[in-house]
Amino acid sequence: MNVLLVLARAIDALTERIGTFVIWLVLVATLISAGNALARWALGASSNAWLEIQWYLFGAVFLLAAGYTLKHNGHVRIDIFYGRLSARGQAWIDLIGGLLFLLPMAGLLAWLAWPMFIDAWTTHEMSPDSGGLLRWPVKLLLPAGFGLLALQGVAEIIKRIGVLTGALALPAEAPAEEV
């Protein structure tokens, strides 16, 4: 179990680095959006490439930050019973949900998105809009984002098993970043 917990910590560290990087992408997207709007207003000039890079960055923020959001328990949860369960009960729900829903869904979506990326890469697919960008970078975000989400899902499953086996302290007994 200790080796798995070390793996989970390594995945958590990777997820934190990617999350920090994505935070900066929000700033870049905001600056590009403001610059594009200013150029359109002040100079009467705009570019489809600038608009598309905004969309690419917007997609990157949401896809690449999904694992970070999972790590910090920030995904929307609609539950009736979960909040009323003990920490062990919640760990069981998270474990079962991760194994039955999260990993299969994220893995399947990453696997299904990969051929779209490969096709865009090999054909040098371009945006049909005048001055548009290559499409493969944004299509790479799909398998990468879902792959990173699946990877963080593995870390969360390991940590829940750690809680259930007693290898990790229950969430109420440890700081949030340890569980």
Side-chain angles (χ1 to χ4, degrees):
M1 186 72 211
N2 287 337
V3 172
L4 291 176
L5 291 173
V6 168
L7 173 64
R9 282 190 208 95
I11 293 169
D12 283 348
L14 173 67
T15 298
E16 282 296 320
R17 284 188 200 98
I18 291 169
T20 301
F21 171 74
V22 168
I23 289 168
W24 288 103
L25 288 183
V26 173
L27 176 63
V28 171
T30 303
L31 292 174
I32 289 172
S33 178
N36 194 33
L38 186 62
R40 190 172 43 244
W41 175 77
L43 306 173
S46 185
S47 163
N48 284 332
W50 286 110
L51 291 172
E52 287 185 16
I53 197 69
Q54 289 172 219
W55 300 336
Y56 286 19
L57 290 170
F58 182 75
V61 165
F62 283 92
L63 287 165
L64 298 179
Y68 180 83
T69 305
L70 177 64
K71 179 184 180 295
H72 291 279
N73 201 22
H75 286 280
V76 174
R77 187 187 315 248
I78 301 173
D79 60 43
I80 298 170
F81 305 108
Y82 186 87
R84 296 179 187 168
L85 294 175
S86 67
R88 286 185 61 81
Q90 291 177 352
W92 273 110
I93 296 293
D94 291 342
L95 175 63
I96 292 167
L99 288 171
L100 294 180
F101 300 108
L102 174 65
L103 286 184
M105 180 277 310
L108 179 65
L109 288 172
W111 183 69
L112 291 173
W114 185 255
M116 291 189 320
F117 158 68
I118 293 298
D119 183 53
W121 172 270
T122 57
T123 63
H124 305 288
E125 181 182 349
M126 296 287 294
S127 169
D129 297 325
S130 174
L133 303 175
L134 282 169
R135 287 284 167 99
W136 70 261
V138 75
K139 289 190 177 184
L140 177 59
L141 291 172
L142 290 164
F146 285 111
L148 290 168
L149 177 61
L151 191 62
Q152 186 60 41
V154 168
E156 296 303 316
I157 287 168
I158 292 169
K159 291 185 281 187
R160 294 321 178 271
I161 292 170
V163 166
L164 293 170
T165 61
L168 273 181
L170 292 172
E173 300 170 3
E177 53 274 351
E178 289 183 23
V179 178

